[in-house]
Amino acid sequence: MQVDSTEPEYSSEQRLGAVLMGIFLMCFGMPFTLVPMMIVPGSFGAGSVVVPMFLICFSIPFVLAGLAVQYAGLNALRFGLFPNSEKAREALKNGTMFASTGGETDTSEVNGHHPATLAEKTTETLQHLEALTQHEPEPQSTNFWDSVETKSP
């Protein structure tokens, strides 16, 4: 595997943080993945078919959520241990835990143009709002009574 010299090098602190986060996510997702093993066996002694079927269907979202969290932990662990891996770099570049494996191109960077960051967009918006709200100040009188409005009967 050839490493491109333009790719950033990650420090040992960043890699250690990714490894620890990966281990944490994998351990955090484990109880959710094991929910059916904890609640379904006890329901088979009820003598009914409805209760075990309900509990099996009830536990499916827990299993899927647990597997998703464990997959995110696996990706973080893979990046921490192998930062030059193509799949880890692609997942980091896409900013998602589910990296696509196809040969897709990144459309956010066209002809060397980088998309504006949040700070740049905020600065542009503030400058635009300032331009819209700027107007010439009204001439002020030095007489106090010129600024008082009177009610007409």
Side-chain angles (χ1 to χ4, degrees):
M1 176 171 36
Q2 193 174 27
V3 178
D4 188 12
S5 63
T6 61
E7 294 177 353
E9 192 63 33
Y10 295 98
S11 67
S12 60
E13 291 88 13
Q14 291 173 325
R15 292 177 61 191
L16 180 65
V19 168
L20 292 177
M21 181 57 78
I23 292 171
F24 171 76
L25 287 174
M26 290 185 77
C27 292
F28 184 79
M30 184 64 66
F32 293 99
T33 305
L34 296 177
V35 162
M37 301 296 276
M38 293 185 276
I39 63 173
V40 172
S43 67
F44 284 116
S48 172
V49 177
V50 176
V51 174
M53 291 303 293
F54 172 74
L55 289 177
I56 289 172
C57 292
F58 179 77
S59 63
I60 289 174
F62 288 95
V63 171
L64 294 176
L67 289 174
V69 170
Q70 285 181 329
Y71 185 71
L74 179 67
N75 278 341
L77 194 61
R78 181 188 305 149
F79 175 72
L81 294 176
F82 309 108
N84 295 330
S85 167
E86 292 177 18
K87 284 187 87 170
R89 292 252 183 208
E90 187 176 346
L92 186 67
K93 185 174 85 172
N94 291 341
T96 178
M97 67 180 182
F98 302 109
S100 62
T101 57
E104 301 168 359
T105 58
D106 188 12
T107 58
S108 63
E109 200 174 305
V110 178
N111 295 332
H113 179 269
H114 296 284
T117 63
L118 181 61
E120 292 171 345
K121 290 179 183 178
T122 305
T123 305
E124 286 179 12
T125 304
L126 288 175
Q127 289 173 349
H128 181 69
L129 287 175
E130 285 177 4
L132 290 176
T133 58
Q134 287 180 352
H135 58 280
E136 294 181 17
E138 296 180 14
Q140 293 184 353
S141 173
T142 56
N143 187 354
F144 170 75
W145 295 109
D146 288 342
S147 63
V148 175
E149 295 182 16
T150 59
K151 294 183 181 178
S152 58

